[in-house]
Amino acid sequence: MKKNILFVVNPISGDLDKSDLIEAVEEFATTNHFDLEVYETTGKQDQKRIQALYNQYLPERIVVAGGDGTIKMVAEAMEQYDVIIGILPAGSANGLSVDLNLPPTIEENLKIAFLHHYIEMDMICINGKKSIHLSDIGVNANLVKNYEESNLRGFWGYALQAYSALKESEEPFVATISANNEIVEHTARMIVIANSQKYGTGVIINPNGAMNDGKFELVILKSLDLLLIGKIITGNMPIDSDDIVIISTDKATIKTDYPVNFQIDGEYCGAQTDLEIHILHKQMKIAIP
């Protein structure tokens, strides 16, 4: 008996043409005797349409071609269903794929997405919105706000944007953080709310993070001079530095002394003064290498 697979593809993610990718997926499904149903997102009613397709075909897996935003949308649509999600990285922000150490070739990723085992991965809820990867308040959110206006991508694009974001950033903010039955106050340039270890560029920001441990980390960067930025970008995150505090918890609140730019999974979410955060344990099944 053939197994059903729902293939959800974001046709505009990453500004990449997906016709070759769709053809490769269809060939792989035929060769491996899967019944494939293809759905291209439109940005309108996608969650409801994906739920309807799931109920119609009852797929064994949903394979997603897109970036973090598309993966998160599918995960939210499948919140009440028991289904494995496979990833074909195809977005401008592929942070989760980098953190899962997915390989660079489509051939390898097809095998993982369709055939490999999975982990039950956590998500984070921040002010009612879900995060699957990394969110932050402060300097990097400034970067995210400006990133799409730049033609530079990848490692050096991130590095140069980080430098300009630091130069243009506002004064440090004072954050009052409640977590683990304690209230602490820190003056910070940036606070990362991390479900995983690294940004999509490969920059490690939370070296001891795990996506399925029922916890998230608040990575508080008190200072962001060029030396520290250089260490972070080159993967030498100094977790024992006086300029960095890491709090591991399953729920927290953050209050800032003035509105600070905030982003979730590469999506700018405006300036905020209050964040309510809690873990959503084992929210989705993700195929892994």
Side-chain angles (χ1 to χ4, degrees), residues 33-231:
H33 309 293
F34 290 109
D35 276 335
L36 188 74
E37 181 67 25
V38 180
Y39 174 74
E40 295 193 26
T41 63
T42 64
K44 298 178 181 178
Q45 303 290 316
D46 286 321
Q47 285 197 29
K48 288 185 178 179
R49 289 173 179 170
I50 290 166
Q51 288 169 345
L53 287 169
Y54 178 86
N55 288 322
Q56 181 178 353
Y57 294 102
L58 299 176
E60 178 190 72
R61 295 190 180 210
I62 299 180
V63 175
V64 181
D68 288 345
T70 309
I71 297 164
K72 180 164 63 176
M73 183 271 292
V74 172
E76 289 179 338
M78 291 292 101
E79 191 172 15
Q80 305 301 321
Y81 301 87
D82 185 17
V83 63
I84 301 166
I85 297 173
I87 300 171
L88 301 177
S92 53
N94 297 308
L96 181 59
S97 303
V98 171
D99 241 310
L100 292 170
N101 295 313
L102 293 183
T105 69
I106 181 62
E107 292 79 13
E108 291 174 289
N109 279 313
L110 282 168
K111 292 176 183 176
I112 294 167
F114 276 80
L115 302 171
H116 275 216
H117 58 291
Y118 62 88
I119 60 168
E120 292 185 89
M121 191 183 130
D122 300 337
M123 297 174 74
I124 304 173
C125 182
I126 309 172
N127 286 3
K129 292 186 174 183
K130 289 173 184 167
S131 170
I132 59 174
H133 188 233
L134 293 171
S135 305
D136 49 60
I137 187 166
V139 170
N140 187 62
N142 301 347
L143 184 159
V144 168
K145 187 179 179 184
N146 299 328
Y147 191 57
E148 291 303 319
E149 299 172 8
S150 168
N151 293 322
L152 290 167
R153 291 292 179 265
F155 179 91
W156 289 112
Y158 183 91
L160 290 170
Q161 285 287 337
Y163 175 70
S164 61
L166 179 63
K167 283 178 62 179
E168 297 166 6
S169 66
E170 298 171 313
E171 290 298 308
F173 57 91
V174 178
T176 303
I177 300 168
S178 175
N180 300 325
N181 297 314
E182 293 183 353
I183 298 175
V184 295
E185 190 174 277
H186 291 287
T187 300
R189 301 302 299 270
M190 174 173 159
I191 299 175
V192 184
I193 304 158
N195 189 39
S196 53
Q197 293 189 354
K198 49 194 170 185
Y199 285 102
T201 52
V203 171
I204 296 173
I205 197 71
N206 182 32
N208 299 321
M211 289 184 270
N212 58 349
D213 62 352
K215 302 275 189 179
F216 62 88
E217 282 70 47
L218 299 176
V219 183
I220 303 156
L221 303 169
K222 297 181 181 181
S223 168
L224 271 182
D225 60 22
L226 289 180
L227 179 61
L228 180 57
I229 283 180
K231 287 180 178 178

Side-chain angles (χ1 to χ4, degrees), residues 9-18 40-43 65-67 70 90-92:
V9 56
N10 183 340
I12 62 171
S13 63
D15 294 326
L16 302 170
D17 179 65
K18 305 297 190 307
E40 295 193 26
T41 63
T42 64
T70 309
S92 53

